[in-house]
């Protein structure tokens, strides 16, 4: 199991932007062969899917973030990104990246993930 390391979280005012990054602990990790997703856990709630991307670059988003968040990957740099714009206080959460099974990647299933990270905190103030 490969460990994933998230970074880029922080505190921002409503309307602001942040870009999260996710890097694999192994240098041989190849994002072109993995389906990936971003998840978040808001205070007192379960993990929820935010965005996903498959090996062809197709993407899916949760309704709550559609149009505001963008998932992408830089395969040569082995890095997954989540660009978050127009942030709202309700986006405050711990954000995690995860490797997903490609036969079900668009379901954004946290429980069924292949591998994940420890998360990075995002706090949005009003």
């Amino acid at each position: 199991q490969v460990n994933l390391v998230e970074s880029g979280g922080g505190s921002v005012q409503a309307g602001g932007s942040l870009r999260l990054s996710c890097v694999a602990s192994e240098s041989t990790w190849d994002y072109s062969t993995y389906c990936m997703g971003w998840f978040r856990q808001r205070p007192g709630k379960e993990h929820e899917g935010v965005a996903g991307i498959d090996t062809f670059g197709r993407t899916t988003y949760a309704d709550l973030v559609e149009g505001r968040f963008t998932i992408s990957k830089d395969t040569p740099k082995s890095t997954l990104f989540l660009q978050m714009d127009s942030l709202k206080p309700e986006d405050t959460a711990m954000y995690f990246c995860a490797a997903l099974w490609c036969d079900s990647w668009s379901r954004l299933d946290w429980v069924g993930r292949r591998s994940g990270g420890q998360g990075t905190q995002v706090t949005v103030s009003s």
Side-chain angles (χ1 to χ4, degrees):
Q1 185 177 8
V2 175
N3 291 324
L4 301 171
V5 181
E6 303 91 341
S7 63
S11 296
V12 65
Q13 289 192 323
S17 299
L18 284 172
R19 187 173 80 156
L20 306 184
S21 299
C22 172
V23 179
S25 59
E26 288 188 6
S27 60
T28 56
W29 180 273
D30 184 355
Y31 275 115
S32 68
T33 63
Y34 286 89
C35 295
M36 302 293 297
W38 283 98
F39 297 79
R40 68 185 182 188
Q41 186 176 29
R42 292 185 278 181
K45 298 194 174 183
E46 299 292 323
H47 286 86
E48 59 182 344
V50 174
I53 187 167
D54 72 358
T55 57
F56 299 101
R58 295 177 298 186
T59 58
T60 189
Y61 296 92
D63 290 343
L64 290 175
V65 307
E66 180 86 53
R68 299 188 297 122
F69 291 10
T70 304
I71 187 172
S72 63
K73 56 184 177 179
D74 186 334
T75 300
K77 295 183 179 180
S78 298
T79 306
L80 179 73
F81 298 104
L82 183 68
Q83 177 67 41
M84 305 187 296
D85 299 317
S86 302
L87 282 162
K88 304 176 181 180
E90 51 265 42
D91 293 320
T92 294
M94 184 73 79
Y95 283 74
F96 304 83
C97 66
L100 306 172
W101 295 102
C102 284
D103 59 350
S104 59
W105 70 277
S106 62
R107 293 185 211 158
L108 297 178
D109 178 16
W110 172 256
V111 174
R113 70 194 183 282
R114 297 178 65 177
S115 185
Q118 296 300 309
T120 184
Q121 177 68 39
V122 171
T123 302
V124 185
S125 58
S126 57

